[in-house]
Amino acid sequence: MRPGRRFTPYLFLLPAMVLYVGFVIWPMLQSLAISFTDWDGMSPTRRFVGLDNYAGILADPVALLALKNNLLWTAVMITVPTVLGLVLALGLNREFRGRTLFRSALYAPAVLPMAGVAGIWAWMYEPSQGLINASLQAIGLPGLAHTWLADPNTALYAVMVTGIWQAVGFPMVLYLAGLQSIPAEQYEAARIDGATPWQRFRYITMPWLNETHIIVVTLAVIASFKVFDLVFSMTYGGPGQSTQVLASWQYIQTFQYFKAGYGSALTWLIAAILMVVTIPYIRLMSRRGAA
Amino acid sequence: MNRFLRHASLAACLGVCAGLAGAQQVRLEFLTWYNASQEKDFRVALAEYEAAHPNVKITLNTVAGTGAAVYPNTLRTRIAGGQAPDLFMMWGGSLAAPFIDAKAATDLAPYFKKYNWDSILIPAAVNALKRNGTLWGAPINLRAVTFHYRKDLFEKAGVKVPATMAELEAACDRFKAMDITCLATGGTFGWHQMRVFDFFLEHTAGPELHDQLLAGKASWDRPEVVAAFAQLKKWHDKGWFPLGYGGLSPNQAQQLLLQGRAAMIPEGDWFVPTAVKAGLTDANYGFFAPPTDRKPLRVEGFAEQYMIAAQSKNADAVAHFMNWWLQPATQNRHYMVHGSSATQGATPNAAENPLGAAYKKMVAGYGTYTIMDQAFSKEQMDTGYFRLQTAVTAGQITPAAAARELQRVLQGRP
């Protein structure tokens, strides 16, 4: 290969690289630089404070609560919507009348705007006129009616239920795609060999869905650490900071308390956690692409 | 030749005239949090000013709906991006402080002197806005928060406007027995709860100590603050606030009163037009200063201001507009934009706006205590004041522990 030709692919990549560096890498580096300062987000000057903002996270009880809430949110979101999505996908992978309608209906919440979802559910949780308490009273369970979003003991779980409702359609679609890639002959052979439905699920379906599991769980973890809209719209982080998550706390610190330095440090904490999850994911996907 | 000269001179004149006109044309941007009704009324005022000053064009942008929860973010982003509006609205105290400290506002002392604003503005409103002795804004109103109430529900319950705290609590008991919310409050964003707790504190601490607490001259870890937390807990436990009020927005709480499902709500003069537009009249709607059992009886108050951005290249033109706006005649003509005014002698037209006039007349008789969020930073409010109120009502900590913790949080006040 002539020496000049070696650089030809890079020339084609150059426009995209310029855009990527200018609009992704450079702002990220700026944010990293801000995280080492005490900048208020407005003043013309800023002071270098080293790692103070990062050390401050450890001493900030709300940040630690937000991290705990994110971990709890992640634990719920990688299990409940994933299992529900798989169950729904298994059901909707069968031939039956109205299958397309069910698939569309179950996926619909995933395409709704988060602010709209939050609005719908906030009204459903409204204590005196909301659908949830009214339904509990209608079926003879008034004792279970509750001030769901106003009670710090239930508010986060109430928002999580909304998150599950909104999120379940996405893993369902991914699992449906995964199920359709399993060769039918495998099931036929297993059936001839006398395998039970559970054995077919355990030894054929689940192994074939391994990559889908990784995709679903990784994306669920990423979404869980990025969660913001539902919390901000439904509870504003309250009552009494009980539903704060890292993204909402970062937003509040940066834009409401005028602590752009500390807010950037929180952003990089979220980024660091997500990198731990996403780097192996990207490597796996790259290997798969190469294969 | 003559023809050529005629054309040449005409072209030269057009060029010069256009140049002059272009040089004099001023475009200003004004950022506010006006709601739809206020915006509509203010646009009438703007049209009036622009008609009298054809070289000035003012673009109005408003961030309505969430008040201090979102508006400052929008403004901050504009300033950080070098795109500050020429003129912006702002609250006083700690809400304005970050913008002043970031040198985002213009020192208005020269304009106060030039236009002699001290002679037309209410001194208390002017003084409320000073930061370290400097005026960075001109007051546009002096708000007063009272209890707005449903006369029809009071009549139905057989209760009178309460003159003491005991009468107020007895009325709440009566409303509760009739399945009517006593005091409509929405906990989201916190400001309804803030007005209620500040009222309790005025009752338990009294005017002198309350002012000392707000000024940081007295410790919050004291029996009077414990008593205010205990009273909040009592009202919560008795069910005198709406069911699940912590998750309600202020707008949802207002609907409770407007629909006749709540007897009272802690609101300011800005709520009067809302009530009138919802169909309430003097026959079924009124307002009163909530009883603190203290002398003098005071209501919660705060000032709002217009500030000129330090980035503005047209500060003189903005000040000229502000001067027009602050004049008594202008304020009288457009009183309903704010429903209140910091200009001396400005009053709503009693014939056109009898309830607004009645409100102004009522609050004129009372002194004010500073609203909590203008005394402390938003961070201290969120992480201390509001968090502790929630913890007390949820039974997670005792009122005494809340007072101790509040003192710890507020020690680091700006």
Side-chain angles (χ1 to χ4, degrees):
Chain A
M1 187 185 281
R2 283 192 313 180
R5 289 205 173 172
R6 201 181 304 154
F7 297 105
T8 307
Y10 296 103
L11 279 175
F12 282 105
L13 281 174
L14 191 62
M17 279 304 291
V18 168
L19 289 173
Y20 185 71
V21 169
F23 291 102
V24 179
I25 302 296
W26 177 241
M28 283 174 68
L29 291 176
Q30 271 197 315
S31 161
L32 185 63
I34 290 169
S35 75
F36 297 117
T37 71
D38 67 349
W39 193 40
D40 62 8
M42 275 192 299
S43 298
T45 56
R46 62 190 78 171
R47 194 169 55 91
F48 180 75
V49 295
L51 291 171
D52 284 4
N53 288 325
Y54 291 92
I57 294 172
L58 298 174
D60 177 355
V62 182
L64 298 178
L65 173 67
L67 178 61
K68 186 179 143 204
N69 286 344
N70 268 117
L71 291 171
L72 185 59
W73 186 283
T74 306
V76 170
M77 288 298 161
I78 60 173
T79 50
V80 180
T82 305
V83 172
L84 279 176
L86 178 59
V87 170
L88 289 170
L90 288 168
L92 293 171
N93 199 36
R94 293 161 183 265
E95 292 285 343
F96 65 91
R97 197 179 166 87
R99 184 172 73 158
T100 308
L101 179 69
F102 276 103
R103 284 181 179 178
S104 305
L106 288 165
Y107 185 63
V111 297
L112 289 176
M114 282 290 205
V117 171
I120 292 166
W121 277 82
W123 274 108
M124 284 168 55
Y125 281 127
E126 207 274 331
S128 54
Q129 298 178 92
L131 178 70
I132 292 170
N133 279 359
S135 302
L136 288 168
Q137 280 161 358
I139 60 172
L141 296 170
L144 293 181
H146 192 69
T147 56
W148 303 101
L149 292 176
D151 182 345
N153 298 312
T154 58
L156 183 66
Y157 299 102
V159 180
M160 274 183 195
V161 169
T162 307
I164 291 167
W165 179 83
Q166 198 274 337
V168 78
F170 190 57
M172 180 194 80
V173 166
L174 292 176
Y175 278 125
L176 267 174
L179 287 170
Q180 284 162 20
S181 69
I182 303 174
E185 301 81 36
Q186 299 243 341
Y187 290 111
E188 283 170 25
R191 211 172 278 121
I192 291 165
D193 289 344
T196 63
W198 168 249
Q199 286 171 325
R200 292 201 295 273
F201 174 74
R202 172 71 184 82
Y203 296 107
I204 300 174
T205 307
M206 287 301 275
W208 271 91
L209 289 178
N210 269 348
E211 277 194 1
T212 312
H213 293 318
I214 293 169
I215 294 169
V216 166
V217 170
T218 306
L219 294 180
V221 173
I222 293 169
S224 296
F225 272 91
K226 282 170 38 182
V227 64
F228 170 82
D229 330 47
L230 285 181
V231 169
F232 197 75
S233 304
M234 292 179 75
T235 63
Y236 197 59
Q241 313 288 358
S242 61
T243 58
Q244 287 291 2
V245 287
L246 286 171
S248 61
W249 193 232
Q250 175 271 331
Y251 172 85
I252 287 170
Q253 287 287 341
T254 306
F255 294 100
Q256 303 203 331
Y257 300 165
F258 300 93
K259 291 183 173 178
Y262 186 61
S264 296
L266 285 166
T267 304
W268 277 94
L269 172 67
I270 300 170
I273 294 168
L274 289 180
M275 279 178 196
V276 170
V277 179
T278 50
I279 288 172
Y281 168 72
I282 290 167
R283 289 184 64 180
L284 177 80
M285 289 298 106
S286 302
R287 277 209 301 270
R288 186 190 180 198
Chain B
M1 183 67 181
N2 281 347
R3 200 170 160 192
F4 171 77
L5 281 175
R6 268 205 311 274
H7 284 170
S9 55
L10 179 63
C13 176
L14 281 173
V16 171
C17 294
L20 281 175
Q24 289 172 346
Q25 194 68 28
V26 178
R27 300 186 78 85
L28 305 176
E29 191 197 344
F30 179 28
L31 189 69
T32 78
W33 59 81
Y34 290 153
N35 62 29
S37 166
Q38 289 176 302
E39 183 183 348
K40 190 179 164 197
D41 290 340
F42 189 74
R43 285 194 186 281
V44 175
L46 274 187
E48 191 183 300
Y49 182 80
E50 287 174 350
H53 304 84
N55 61 324
V56 179
K57 174 72 184 163
I58 301 176
T59 303
L60 176 69
N61 282 317
T62 184
V63 184
T66 55
V70 170
Y71 174 81
N73 315 348
T74 308
L75 179 60
R76 189 207 67 90
T77 305
R78 296 284 308 272
I79 291 168
Q83 301 289 322
D86 298 282
L87 175 64
F88 59 89
M89 211 162 141
M90 184 47 64
W91 297 270
S94 62
L95 292 168
F99 297 94
I100 295 168
D101 296 345
K103 299 181 173 52
T106 302
D107 178 357
L108 295 193
Y111 297 116
F112 266 80
K113 192 175 173 188
K114 178 181 177 184
Y115 293 114
N116 201 16
W117 285 340
D118 279 326
S119 69
I120 58 167
L121 296 172
I122 296 169
V126 175
N127 290 331
L129 295 178
K130 281 183 180 164
R131 180 162 175 83
N132 302 326
T134 303
L135 272 166
W136 301 92
I140 48 170
N141 55 45
L142 193 56
R143 302 291 199 186
V145 176
T146 64
F147 280 11
H148 297 236
Y149 75 106
R150 292 290 300 239
K151 289 180 178 174
D152 48 351
L153 296 183
F154 270 56
E155 198 175 319
K156 192 174 162 188
V159 296
K160 293 185 299 182
V161 170
T164 63
M165 185 63 83
E167 285 181 17
L168 176 63
E169 294 190 343
C172 283
D173 255 339
R174 179 83 187 113
F175 287 123
K176 177 69 182 169
M178 295 171 66
D179 203 21
I180 293 168
T181 297
C182 177
L183 188 64
T185 54
T188 318
F189 310 128
W191 58 71
H192 267 166
Q193 292 311 112
M194 172 177 64
R195 292 167 197 162
V196 173
F197 188 83
D198 291 356
F199 161 58
F200 290 157
L201 193 58
E202 176 77 358
H203 166 65
T204 58
E208 195 178 336
L209 178 58
H210 193 175
D211 287 347
Q212 286 175 0
L213 288 165
L214 292 172
K217 291 175 181 165
S219 167
W220 287 74
D221 184 10
R222 60 189 319 121
E224 294 85 354
V225 179
V226 175
F229 274 115
Q231 190 164 13
L232 179 72
K233 172 83 170 145
K234 174 184 168 186
W235 278 57
H236 169 87
D237 292 348
K238 292 264 190 184
W240 293 342
F241 299 129
L243 184 64
Y245 63 92
L248 295 185
S249 71
N251 284 348
Q252 285 174 308
Q254 288 179 354
Q255 289 304 314
L256 293 175
L257 184 104
L258 298 174
Q259 293 167 7
R261 293 191 290 134
M264 293 175 271
I265 190 166
E267 289 285 2
D269 36 50
W270 60 85
F271 185 68
V272 176
T274 305
V276 170
K277 280 174 186 164
L280 300 186
T281 66
D282 186 42
N284 57 8
Y285 162 71
F287 20 77
F288 64 92
T292 60
D293 299 347
R294 298 287 183 162
K295 284 186 180 172
L297 175 58
R298 304 192 303 176
V299 295
E300 189 157 60
F302 61 95
E304 291 169 346
Q305 58 187 323
Y306 281 178
M307 300 175 95
I308 301 176
Q311 290 174 12
S312 175
K313 293 180 173 63
N314 296 299
D316 289 348
V318 179
H320 187 272
F321 168 74
M322 284 168 66
N323 182 52
W324 173 82
W325 178 248
L326 295 172
Q327 294 305 311
T330 316
Q331 285 293 296
N332 280 333
R333 276 200 307 282
H334 302 289
Y335 195 89
M336 286 308 288
V337 172
H338 295 141
S340 168
S341 178
T343 299
Q344 294 176 38
T347 48
N349 185 325
E352 290 174 8
N353 179 16
L355 282 167
Y359 194 92
K360 181 166 174 76
K361 190 177 170 189
M362 178 192 73
V363 298
Y366 303 114
T368 57
Y369 52 89
T370 305
I371 200 162
M372 185 82 172
D373 71 355
Q374 296 208 0
F376 298 101
S377 73
K378 182 153 177 32
E379 184 172 11
Q380 288 171 326
M381 293 295 291
D382 287 347
T383 59
Y385 185 80
F386 293 133
R387 179 178 63 83
L388 291 167
Q389 286 183 28
T390 305
V392 167
T393 54
Q396 293 169 340
I397 58 169
T398 63
R404 259 196 316 277
E405 174 67 4
L406 189 55
Q407 168 61 18
R408 189 192 65 75
V409 173
L410 298 183
Q411 260 172 352
R413 55 180 301 172

